[in-house]
Amino acid sequence: MADVVAVLDGRYPPAWAEEWDRVGLVLGEPSTGVRRVACVVDVVPETVDEALAAGADMIVAHHPLLLRGVSSVAATTYKGRIVHRLIRADVALYVAHTNADVADPGVSDALAARFGLTGLRPLHRPRPGSAADGPGRGIGRIGELPTPMTLAELTRQAAAVLPVTAWGVRAAGDPGRMVRTLAVSGGSGDSFLAEASVAGVDAFLTADLRHHPAGEHLAAGGPALLDAAHWATERPWLDDLAAHLRAALGVETVVSDLDTDPWTVHAAAPVPTTRSPAREG
């Protein structure tokens, strides 16, 4: 396991993570051997089931299981039950979160690849002089689409190239607006709305956009917005992670396609029909 941790720490140094983040090895004995690694976005009972059924010795997750301080991991608690189950099964847990977001290549590079973006550059650069500061590194990516398309066309393409979720993809802005430059950011991205505007992109795709910030952004003339499911914007990274582990260590990998987005039902509003006014007579 120490070899796997060293490779992951080398590609996604824990020092690159935000101060509030909790990354690195969470569970596991470094001297234990690892033959198979399960790559997941979220550590939940369902993804743990998948990992154990696949015979994984280690789980590498994007989202931390223990992000906030806890005073107990008793098996009577939700997260405690997960911790106990992993320990009983002798399965290690490693987390790469904001340090994988800022890496080059990182989470948003995998997302950008789904759209064929070229000429990539960071959307949000690390603080100058910080541990994460360096060429190509930063959260989000900006690039050029292979072929310009309208916002409506891009929204349909996003729904086709991203993993399927009940949430789907919604967009805000003029459906006929031409999009040539696109910014993408895996996970929650409305804190980068201003930077997308300053960058002068035509559209910005991310997740977890909120009503008021999105409305004010558009009213100020900002780029069109595409809002996808949080899980769907980060799932593409798992393929890159798994490929890197296979190439670097020769370990077997399994990638979870289990949709862990909390939204499970979507109903589109009926399309309004045009009717002639009723006449008296």
Side-chain angles (χ1 to χ4, degrees):
M1 184 184 308
D3 292 340
V4 181
V5 171
V7 166
L8 290 167
D9 283 354
R11 192 170 178 86
Y12 313 113
W16 291 358
E18 297 288 342
E19 292 182 1
W20 51 263
D21 206 1
R22 299 293 179 267
V23 301
L25 186 64
V26 179
L27 296 171
E29 171 55 53
S31 62
T32 302
V34 173
R35 295 176 300 104
R36 185 172 296 145
V37 178
C39 304
V40 308
V41 173
D42 294 293
V43 185
V44 294
E46 295 80 4
T47 54
V48 171
D49 286 344
E50 279 191 332
L52 297 188
D57 307 298
M58 184 177 193
I59 293 174
V60 179
H62 185 49
H63 292 149
L65 174 64
L66 303 173
L67 179 59
R68 295 175 177 81
V70 296
S71 59
S72 170
V73 288
T76 53
T77 66
Y78 172 76
K79 293 187 177 182
R81 284 192 292 275
I82 294 174
V83 170
H84 278 256
R85 189 168 184 210
L86 291 174
I87 291 175
R88 284 197 302 269
D90 197 21
V91 173
L93 173 61
Y94 183 99
V95 171
H97 191 212
T98 52
N99 49 329
D101 288 331
V102 77
D104 177 24
V107 172
S108 290
D109 292 284
L111 179 57
R114 292 287 177 112
F115 295 90
L117 298 185
T118 58
L120 297 181
R121 63 187 190 276
L123 172 63
H124 171 80
R125 295 183 182 277
R127 186 181 72 257
S130 67
D133 188 22
R137 295 200 288 269
I139 295 177
R141 293 292 181 266
I142 297 170
E144 300 282 333
L145 287 167
T147 304
M149 60 184 71
T150 65
L151 176 60
E153 292 169 335
L154 178 60
T155 305
R156 288 192 291 271
Q157 184 191 37
V161 302
L162 293 179
V164 176
T165 61
W167 181 268
V169 180
R170 60 182 181 176
D174 178 1
R177 177 174 182 167
M178 292 302 300
V179 178
R180 295 174 177 81
T181 55
L182 176 65
V184 299
S185 184
S188 303
D190 67 2
S191 60
F192 308 123
L193 290 174
E195 284 165 290
S197 295
V198 170
V201 298
D202 298 312
F204 176 34
L205 181 145
T206 187
D208 301 337
L209 291 175
R210 294 172 295 160
H211 177 91
H212 293 295
E216 291 169 10
H217 163 88
L218 293 172
L225 301 174
L226 294 94
D227 186 27
H230 191 123
W231 172 83
T233 64
E234 294 174 330
R235 161 59 185 85
W237 170 70
L238 299 183
D239 294 324
D240 287 1
L241 168 66
H244 181 67
L245 291 174
R246 290 193 303 271
L249 297 166
V251 296
E252 298 177 20
T253 58
V254 290
V255 173
S256 176
D257 278 316
L258 182 66
D259 177 4
T260 53
D261 197 69
W263 309 108
T264 57
V265 179
H266 172 83
V271 177
T273 58
T274 303
R275 295 185 177 181
S276 300
R279 297 183 179 178
E280 295 182 0

